[in-house]
Amino acid sequence: MSMTVYTGSSNYPFANEYAKHHGLSVGNIEISRFENSELRVRVLDEAVDSQVTLIQSLSHPTNDHLVEFCLIADALKRAGAKQIQAIIPYLGYSKQDKVFRAGEPLSVKVIANILQTAPIDRITTFDLHNPSIVGFFDIPLVNVYARPAFLEYFRPTVGARSIVVAPDAGSMKNSTQFAMELGLQVAYIDKKRDLATGKVEIIGMSREVEGSDCILIDDMISTGSTLIEVSRFLKSRGARSVRIGVTHHLYIDGVQEKIEASEIDELVVSNTISRKVDGEKLKEISVVGLM
Ligand code: R5P
């Protein structure tokens, strides 16, 4: 059974690697714009498989990538695809998974509704900001954990001084599991974020890290505030090194530069979002094989 892979413009390297990994071909899509800047897409393949995979990360520019995704899915359906499996390596708007302040929308639910107006049958994604986002979808949504890829990366470097640090409450469960799998203790950080300014403050930590080599995993780096502030705090408490694995680096302008200047010693990111910047501390690993 053939199952051509189609991709939007967000992450060609991921789509090419996925196709290669599964011995599939990448279909031809033309993506351009009308004079008024509206997106214009066209499936160029004369015959489209009845089952296809469509890959698109909802990364910056998120709104364009969302519309592109919906248009390509519609075009594929009209060109003859009967079943469309979507892979959305990074689900944009997932940080807005709650009504944090009165008057705000439940944004990720709105995005779930929009995505489901496209003729797709199922979605696979990585490390949702909050696993309960799955409940906002009526079609099957598979949330793949990137943790095994970080385990493989960090395990060979674990030593007697290594400790896992959970950077905030949201990361406790995943970090505890990660620490168990590495056979390490875990320190929990109590973090507070000002919802209006985004400023991050560290309130405390469950155990001391003096002389330790800290390993952290987190679902995303957006502004970088959390991990930069946590690293500063850990170093101020005597940590020897701070190395971090992050599934989604949103590559916001200027953030990698801040990371380079921070107390973070190494930042390992997955390839769910196509890389646009370089950094001496930055390394990329692939999560394609985890699906
Ligand atoms: C928090 O709940 C998340 O796990 C990340 O730590 C957070 O979203 C990162 O955001 P920023 O880089 O803006 O601190």
Side-chain angles (χ1 to χ4, degrees):
M1 177 182 59
S2 63
M3 196 179 181
T4 306
V5 175
Y6 289 90
T7 179
S9 62
S10 65
N11 198 339
Y12 291 115
F14 188 102
N16 290 333
E17 190 184 332
Y18 177 87
K20 195 169 168 204
H21 187 83
H22 292 281
L24 302 170
S25 57
V26 179
N28 295 299
I29 303 258
E30 186 179 71
I31 302 172
S32 59
R33 283 184 190 268
F34 289 98
E35 287 72 9
N36 66 354
S37 87
E38 286 170 9
L39 283 160
R40 182 180 202 181
V41 310
R42 187 163 170 236
V43 177
L44 299 177
D45 298 331
E46 273 175 29
V48 168
D49 296 339
S50 63
Q51 294 192 351
V52 298
T53 298
L54 172 56
I55 300 182
Q56 177 83 312
S57 259
L58 301 187
S59 54
H60 177 76
T62 310
N63 300 346
D64 277 355
H65 286 155
L66 172 66
V67 174
E68 215 180 70
F69 173 88
C70 294
L71 297 183
I72 295 172
D74 186 75
L76 287 169
K77 192 81 176 183
R78 289 174 196 280
K82 299 270 178 290
Q83 274 194 358
I84 303 175
Q85 166 193 221
I87 298 175
I88 303 181
Y90 169 65
L91 183 73
Y93 285 91
S94 56
K95 249 184 125 167
Q96 297 173 56
D97 60 337
K98 295 182 188 72
V99 176
F100 291 97
R101 298 180 298 176
E104 291 181 346
L106 184 49
S107 304
V108 74
K109 172 87 168 80
V110 176
I111 299 305
N113 291 343
I114 294 173
L115 285 170
Q116 289 173 111
T117 63
I120 52 172
D121 296 279
R122 56 186 281 127
I123 299 175
T124 302
T125 190
F126 285 91
D127 279 350
L128 282 169
H129 183 60
N130 175 350
S132 61
I133 289 172
V134 172
F136 294 149
F137 288 81
D138 294 323
I139 59 171
L141 178 115
V142 179
N143 181 26
V144 180
Y145 285 90
R147 199 179 61 241
F150 293 117
L151 273 173
E152 192 181 319
Y153 182 84
F154 285 111
R155 201 191 298 275
T157 66
V158 164
R161 289 169 179 245
S162 299
I163 186 169
V164 169
V165 178
D168 55 27
S171 67
M172 273 170 76
K173 206 170 158 197
N174 203 29
S175 298
T176 304
Q177 185 66 29
F178 184 60
M180 270 171 52
E181 285 159 346
L182 288 175
L184 296 176
Q185 303 283 353
V186 56
Y188 300 99
I189 297 243
D190 189 6
K191 171 190 108 176
K192 200 171 92 181
R193 188 195 289 268
D194 184 314
L195 288 179
T197 64
K199 194 171 180 307
V200 165
E201 197 188 335
I202 308 301
I203 314 294
M205 187 168 51
S206 67
R207 63 165 64 226
E208 288 308 320
V209 293
E210 180 148 17
S212 300
D213 294 315
C214 302
I215 306 174
L216 289 73
I217 52 169
D218 206 357
D219 64 321
M220 73 167 82
I221 284 196
S222 174
T223 63
S225 305
T226 301
L227 294 173
I228 290 172
E229 200 47 40
V230 165
S231 305
R232 193 194 58 72
F233 180 79
L234 293 172
K235 286 282 175 82
S236 76
R237 294 295 189 97
R240 204 165 69 144
S241 66
V242 178
R243 299 188 304 135
I244 304 175
V246 167
T247 310
H248 313 293
H249 190 336
L250 307 193
Y251 295 113
I252 292 176
D253 282 351
V255 169
Q256 186 56 37
E257 287 80 352
K258 281 196 225 161
I259 289 164
E260 294 294 324
S262 76
E263 301 279 8
I264 297 170
D265 294 297
E266 185 182 21
L267 178 66
V268 186
V269 301
S270 91
N271 57 344
T272 57
I273 294 175
S274 186
R275 181 172 164 160
K276 296 179 188 69
V277 297
D278 278 321
E280 295 216 335
K281 296 178 178 178
L282 185 64
K283 287 204 180 70
E284 188 181 273
I285 58 172
S286 175
V287 287
V288 165
L290 299 178
M291 277 181 290

